[in-house]
Amino acid sequence: MKTLTLFAALAAAVSAHADNPIITDVFTADPAALVHGDTVYLYTGHDEALPDKPGYVMDDWLCFSSTDMVNWKPEGSLLSLEDFPWAKANAWAAHTIERDGTFFWYVSVWRGEGLGFAVGVATADSPTGPFSDPLGGPLISSDMTPDPINPEGRRVTWDDIDPAAFIDDDGQAYLFWGNTNLYWAKLKDNMIELDGEIHQIELPRFTEAPWIHKKGDLYYLTYAWGFPERTAYATSKSITGPWEYRGVFKGLAGNCNTNHQSIIEFKGRDYFIYHNGGLLTGGSFRRSVCIDELRYNEDGTLQRIVPTIEGVPAVE
């Protein structure tokens, strides 16, 4: 009886952790987490490439929810390319944020040859939808960004991806995005129009995946650095900069070329949410979301993320 009790206790201890990757029945990528009340909503891309056919095959976005960071409820495919008739392919990285009871889901999509990538937006009255496109076209497109020519003199059509929204303490909303070029702009109160000019930020080896969060009086801008990608960050006392580069704090994601992070505080704990190729048939085009704790030093700098298999413990 004592042996059975011990086994039960061990099983309970194991089940009280997330076990990375946290989703094992479908491939998930580019996590963006939203805390709403006592629930975390995790919005992800959906990798569907076959193991022997490399390349990104992504046609929709998925959502999962949790109240303890360990048990994740599938909310389904809440948004797809079909919801954006003007988009041709590539349901890439996205980010959802709430304002005044409305949920705004900013997405990366491919508009077609010669038009390149763009950022669209869908809205809903619930974190689980239904979502719809209020604009009927892109919020941001290649003809809007200020640096459409790369150093080789060719037109850049892939830099308008990976949107990340942030609402500052004064209520002003911002959108950050980019690949090789890092852009930001203010958003109007309706969250579906830019408010003013588009700005650029220069950071060492910026590749993609910007994410903004605030802790205390410091703003943090984390991003994918180099290629294959690591994760680096910069800090500022103002959302508009200047940004001080602080270095790389997460290494390569195993057998996956990309890094894409989400950072949240939930029930008094800080979390770093990312993807890797950790499932048996995983890889750069078949990725999986993982979660580990994020820790700060006393001076506000970030401690290095060391990915774990155990994941994070449950919170009440």
Side-chain angles (χ1 to χ4, degrees):
M1 181 66 70
K2 289 183 178 180
T3 300
L4 291 176
T5 302
L6 177 59
F7 284 155
L10 289 173
V14 170
S15 66
H17 279 255
D19 293 335
N20 287 322
I22 63 167
I23 310 295
T24 58
D25 60 343
V26 65
F27 288 101
T28 53
D30 303 328
L34 166 69
V35 177
H36 183 63
D38 65 350
T39 303
V40 174
Y41 292 91
L42 178 64
Y43 302 88
T44 77
H46 181 194
D47 281 341
E48 297 186 87
L50 297 176
D52 58 345
K53 293 184 178 180
Y56 294 110
V57 179
M58 306 178 75
D59 296 323
D60 63 348
W61 296 270
L62 307 178
C63 180
F64 305 84
S65 64
S66 178
T67 57
D68 63 5
M69 298 300 291
V70 169
N71 299 290
W72 292 92
K73 172 188 174 184
E75 299 289 353
S77 172
L78 303 185
L79 196 63
S80 75
L81 289 172
E82 294 181 356
D83 295 300
F84 301 96
W86 50 272
K88 303 301 182 185
N90 296 330
W92 283 11
H95 184 203
T96 305
I97 194 169
E98 181 266 340
R99 180 166 197 159
D100 298 331
T102 300
F103 296 82
F104 300 86
W105 198 339
Y106 300 93
V107 302
S108 310
V109 294
W110 173 256
R111 295 177 66 202
E113 192 63 35
L115 296 175
F117 279 92
V119 174
V121 60
T123 61
D125 295 328
S126 161
T128 56
F131 284 87
S132 61
D133 176 8
L135 295 177
L139 169 62
I140 298 164
S141 55
S142 292
D143 57 341
M144 296 169 59
T145 42
D147 188 14
I149 306 299
N150 70 8
E152 288 77 35
R154 291 179 295 169
R155 180 172 175 78
V156 172
T157 59
W158 63 84
D159 59 344
D160 295 306
I161 65 170
D162 292 7
F166 179 83
I167 300 175
D168 207 356
D169 298 335
D170 62 0
Q172 177 62 59
Y174 298 83
L175 192 69
F176 291 72
W177 73 97
N179 176 289
T180 66
N181 295 308
L182 173 54
Y183 303 117
W184 69 270
K186 290 182 178 181
L187 288 166
K188 293 184 178 180
D189 289 344
N190 62 18
M191 302 290 284
I192 59 172
E193 293 180 272
L194 300 188
D195 187 8
E197 63 181 302
I198 295 173
H199 308 266
Q200 282 189 258
I201 302 172
E202 297 292 336
L203 288 174
R205 301 193 67 180
F206 172 81
T207 303
E208 58 187 354
W211 180 276
I212 305 293
H213 78 281
K214 188 179 183 184
K215 184 75 169 179
D217 62 352
L218 272 183
Y219 297 86
Y220 293 79
L221 196 170
T222 53
Y223 66 93
W225 178 101
F227 194 85
E229 295 172 355
R230 289 79 165 168
T231 306
Y233 77 110
T235 60
S236 176
K237 290 294 185 70
S238 168
I239 186 65
T240 59
W243 294 94
E244 179 183 357
Y245 177 67
R246 296 291 191 143
V248 171
F249 73 107
K250 181 185 176 296
L252 297 172
N255 64 335
C256 173
N257 283 331
T258 59
N259 262 299
H260 198 112
Q261 75 294 340
S262 172
I263 294 172
I264 60 169
E265 182 178 345
F266 181 61
K267 296 184 177 180
R269 295 179 180 235
D270 297 291
Y271 296 97
F272 185 85
I273 309 171
Y274 59 100
H275 67 226
N276 64 14
L279 292 184
L280 182 60
T281 59
S284 287
F285 308 112
R286 294 164 66 82
R287 297 161 293 181
S288 299
V289 171
C290 302
I291 305 175
D292 280 300
E293 290 195 49
L294 178 70
R295 294 181 174 88
Y296 298 82
N297 296 312
E298 290 186 4
D299 62 357
T301 55
L302 299 179
Q303 294 185 18
R304 191 171 184 85
I305 295 292
V306 179
T308 69
I309 297 174
E310 296 81 9
V312 297
V315 292
E316 296 182 0

